[in-house]
Amino acid sequence: MTDRIVLRGLSKRYGEVVALENIDLDVASGEVVVLIGPSGSGKSTLLRCVNALEVPDEGEVLLDGKRVDARQGDIDRLRAEVGMVFQHFHLFPHLTALQNVMLAPRLVKKIAATDHGLALLDRVGVADKRDTYPDMLSGGQKQRVAIARALAMEPIAMLFDEPTSALDPEMVGEVLAVMRQLAEEGMTMLVASHEMGFAREVAHRVAFLDEGRIVEEGTPDRIFDDPQRNRTKAFLSKIL
Amino acid sequence: MARGREILFRAAITIALLGLLALALGGSSYEWDFAPAWQRRNLYLWGLGMTLAATGVAFVIGLVLGVAVALARLARSLVVRHIGDLYVEIIRGTPVLVQVTIAYFGIAPLIGVDNKFVVGTIALGMFAAAYMGEIFRAGIESIERGQFEAARSLGLSRPQTLRHVVFPQAFKRMIPPLTGELIALTKESSLLFFIGVMELMARGRQVGADTYRQFESFLVVAAVYLSVTIPLSLLARRLERRLGKSARAGVLL
């Protein structure tokens, strides 16, 4: 298997606060890696570095072997190669669900295929909402449209930044179901989440982050049933 | 229903107050004569036409230049940002009458332009751009960061993000303050009389001087200005209410 996403010695500070400290992580093609850890442990910053929404102070990010650099000319194209799903959806409120999905392909790839957009909405189960504006969608529907929007650029990998944390409990399941389906189809996924059930069931690998470091990583069974580090044990005992 | 009654009530109060004012003025020793003004009604209409033309052209210049000012003040380059800041400070820190005067008696002869209307409206438009630039900037900055990030993460370039994601949302929020700016500009265009543009204010002076009826003439001028600004003001309030409603609905969901 080839490595889709490679992080080498990634470090990021905000003034005195260390957000990431010397992170090494490889995500292979088709692999699902779930990042767990307390709030502020650096999960979000890590994902944002992959997409060049943050510029790391040290280290590098490689996508299919190509270096991600926010100052480089082809950064827009590289960004389009990984889909990003945000905690708070960030759908474009002035566009319908279908227009949200089709905006980037239309502008960046110069293709305006309604069929393609509809197929994506159908894939996440909201095809009947094609002409609905985001403020008339439920949280779960919004997040599913956001996933379809990210998929529209046919990314080589998907990043999920706590995709269910802003949802009402009864809507978490529908979003996780879409993510599970994506994983089964072989999508490469890097997911920051507090959904331990999802991590255990879907992840190939789980990494526990604390204070900007990867404290421990391994298969879900190993991390959840047999954590080696005290900090991992302490975190899991609080959350499970 | 309550709103309809309020409007009726307000209209009744307005008519009553105007009636009282008319009684008071009619009962004073001043002898009213609107006949000369009425005879010269075409002069007021031409003046109104010139006022609307100057306001309209200046508003369009202000819109275009205002976007440039806003983008300059939000630019990453310090030089560009500083030029934008300077522009706004200088324009907002000097009276518009001084700017119009400098433009017509100073800059225009230098570059060999001798059209009062052209010089006056460009000066007025440049003045409006400083204020409209601030409206644009506030509008752009009111769009949450997540919108930029979502657009950029999809591979949209910075200009594409501004044009297709930020501007359409920001513009909606800017409509009420822009309408306010249009009202202000309608009134400020009266300053062009100073360089000899025959707009409404200038026509009011002309009729007043010709007929020795300044009071009547400028009451007519005031009424004509109000006939433009009040509908605009009502429109602005209506838009604000409508947009406010949709914004609230957005927050609730």
Side-chain angles (χ1 to χ4, degrees), chain B residues 32-82:
Chain B
W32 294 95
D33 187 4
F34 280 99
W38 176 249
Q39 280 164 9
R40 290 163 178 79
R41 57 191 178 273
N42 278 343
L43 293 180
Y44 293 110
L45 285 178
W46 292 338
L48 175 63
M50 190 63 95
T51 289
L52 293 180
T55 305
V57 173
F59 190 70
V60 171
I61 294 172
L63 279 178
V64 175
L65 198 55
V67 172
V69 169
L71 290 180
R73 298 194 77 185
L74 293 167
R76 269 175 296 190
S77 150
L78 179 63
V79 178
V80 176
R81 223 159 55 223
H82 188 66

Side-chain angles (χ1 to χ4, degrees), chain A residues 75-220:
Chain A
I75 186 62
D76 292 339
R77 200 179 47 71
L78 270 181
R79 272 206 184 99
E81 290 196 3
V82 279
M84 179 97 172
V85 175
F86 300 88
Q87 182 178 352
H88 295 287
F89 331 121
H90 300 323
L91 288 182
F92 306 130
H94 60 299
L95 301 177
T96 64
L98 183 61
Q99 288 167 341
N100 261 278
V101 172
M102 286 173 53
L103 181 72
R106 186 163 64 78
L107 294 178
V108 180
K109 294 187 173 173
K110 312 290 179 203
I111 47 168
T114 308
D115 296 352
H116 181 59
L118 278 175
L120 285 164
L121 286 178
D122 191 42
R123 195 163 154 199
V124 299
V126 286
D128 56 324
K129 302 290 181 191
R130 54 175 285 182
D131 295 323
T132 306
Y133 286 90
D135 63 357
M136 297 304 286
L137 296 173
S138 73
Q141 289 167 341
K142 279 185 207 174
Q143 197 60 298
R144 286 187 283 155
V145 172
I147 292 172
R149 180 178 68 173
L151 290 172
M153 291 303 283
E154 289 166 341
I156 59 167
M158 289 280 283
L159 310 172
F160 293 84
D161 189 1
E162 303 206 16
T164 58
S165 297
L167 297 178
D168 290 335
E170 73 269 25
M171 292 171 185
V172 170
E174 63 191 65
V175 171
L176 292 181
V178 169
M179 291 169 63
R180 188 175 294 122
Q181 179 196 323
L182 271 181
E184 282 164 7
E185 289 166 7
M187 175 61 76
T188 308
M189 293 164 59
L190 187 52
V191 183
S193 183
H194 291 294
E195 294 295 331
M196 298 303 153
F198 175 83
R200 185 186 275 273
E201 197 190 330
V202 180
H204 300 110
R205 213 146 39 96
V206 172
F208 171 66
L209 269 78
D210 194 21
E211 293 176 353
R213 289 187 178 81
I214 294 181
V215 175
E216 191 168 357
E217 64 173 291
T219 62

Side-chain angles (χ1 to χ4, degrees), chain A residues 6-13 18 20-24 45 49 54-61 67-68 71:
Chain A
V6 175
L7 311 182
R8 284 279 166 272
L10 213 59
S11 294
K12 175 82 186 168
R13 281 169 217 90
V18 176
L20 293 176
E21 180 74 40
N22 200 22
I23 298 276
D24 291 312
T45 309
C49 283
E54 302 281 351
V55 180
D57 298 324
E58 285 161 47
E60 59 180 5
V61 177
R67 201 185 154 157
V68 175
R71 286 148 301 193

